[in-house]
Amino acid sequence: MESVIVAIDGPSGTGKSSTSKAVAAKLGLSYLDTGAQYRAITWWMISNGVDVTDADAIASAAGKPSIVSGTDPSHPTITVDGVDASGPIREQDVTAKVSAVSAVPEVRARITELQRSIAAGAENGIVVEGRDIGTTVLPDADLKIFLTASPEARAARRSGELKGADVHATREALIKRDAADSSRKTSPLAKADDAVEVDTTDLTLQQVIECVVTLVEEKRAAT
Ligand code: DC
């Protein structure tokens, strides 16, 4: 079977991670969560006393941490300087600061290089999820998907994941983070011109997975 590179982008709460992992597992592909890498570098900055409101301080430290992503979709891992970071990167403090850290060009250059080398090394192919994969990281991906959903659906999903979080507060936080991710100068959250847009508002996760698997299979059959 030909190796295939699939880029899945979109804002938070559209089902990117669940869809990407399931599609990769179903098709025997590797999986990369690029948001986890930006969260990991943010966690390192916070833990090492870097002022995350100071873009110059972030830029100077961007090359320091060693970030390693495990790409098995049934057991994705992330370590920072050899330490498992999968728990701390989901904490509220990291979520609140990751947009500022990921907007710094030196951080993006460093993480983008890492992402390209992981994709190049994935023998059977890979599903890479993020915000700028189709536009910037892997512009030659075989298939680009852009997932969307209404703000209400996204907030409801995220507060379900965060067990009992207030839907209104989650909606406001999501909108704020998406606005920051979409308005930054360096590779903002955007749909690539050649991406297929899938609105997941009224779809179950299973339906989204089936839709993306079909798109990958059609692409493979056509090449
Ligand atoms: O997918 P996530 O919510 O874990 O991503 C965390 C943040 O990382 C998100 O707010 C923006 C940033 N990010 C990015 O700038 N580019 C990517 N390819 C992936 C994530």
Side-chain angles (χ1 to χ4, degrees):
M1 187 75 82
E2 285 281 298
S3 161
V4 65
I5 292 190
V6 182
I8 303 190
D9 291 300
S12 337
T14 50
K16 280 195 311 293
S17 293
S18 308
T19 303
S20 301
K21 268 187 273 192
V23 169
K26 209 161 181 164
L27 297 174
L29 306 176
S30 298
Y31 159 73
L32 179 62
D33 175 358
T34 63
Q37 296 175 311
Y38 286 105
R39 287 172 178 272
I41 199 164
T42 302
W43 177 61
W44 184 92
M45 299 272 170
I46 297 168
S47 310
N48 285 274
V50 177
D51 176 1
V52 297
T53 62
D54 179 348
D56 291 335
I58 295 171
S60 315
K64 291 186 181 168
S66 161
I67 296 169
V68 178
S69 302
T71 58
D72 175 351
S74 57
H75 183 59
T77 57
I78 184 135
T79 63
V80 181
D81 294 339
V83 176
D84 176 14
S86 52
I89 63 167
R90 303 291 160 196
E91 280 168 13
Q92 191 47 45
D93 193 31
V94 172
T95 302
K97 291 170 176 158
V98 62
S99 289
V101 173
S102 63
V104 174
E106 286 78 1
V107 169
R108 299 209 73 79
R110 163 99 207 280
I111 301 289
T112 297
E113 193 188 318
L114 200 57
Q115 291 160 355
R116 288 183 178 146
S117 76
I118 292 169
E123 271 178 29
N124 298 328
I126 190 165
V127 179
V128 183
E129 60 141 313
R131 304 290 192 290
D132 62 337
I133 309 307
T135 54
T136 306
V137 179
L138 301 167
D140 297 327
D142 299 294
L143 177 66
K144 300 178 187 177
I145 310 275
F146 194 79
L147 296 183
T148 62
S150 69
E152 288 69 26
R154 298 194 290 116
R157 289 173 193 164
R158 265 294 144 96
S159 38
E161 281 166 19
L162 300 174
K163 300 212 176 53
D166 173 66
V167 179
H168 181 72
T170 305
R171 183 179 185 277
E172 297 307 302
L174 269 182
I175 289 173
K176 198 172 150 208
R177 191 148 64 93
D178 289 343
D181 294 340
S182 305
S183 63
R184 67 170 175 242
K185 287 207 184 72
T186 313
S187 58
L189 160 65
K191 175 183 169 296
D193 291 340
D194 52 350
V196 179
E197 184 165 332
V198 179
D199 182 347
T200 69
T201 306
D202 297 319
L203 301 179
T204 63
L205 174 60
Q206 214 46 47
Q207 287 172 321
V208 182
I209 294 165
E210 273 161 32
C211 169
V212 176
V213 165
T214 304
L215 288 168
V216 177
E217 283 171 344
E218 282 173 1
K219 195 78 199 179
R220 275 178 153 169
T223 51

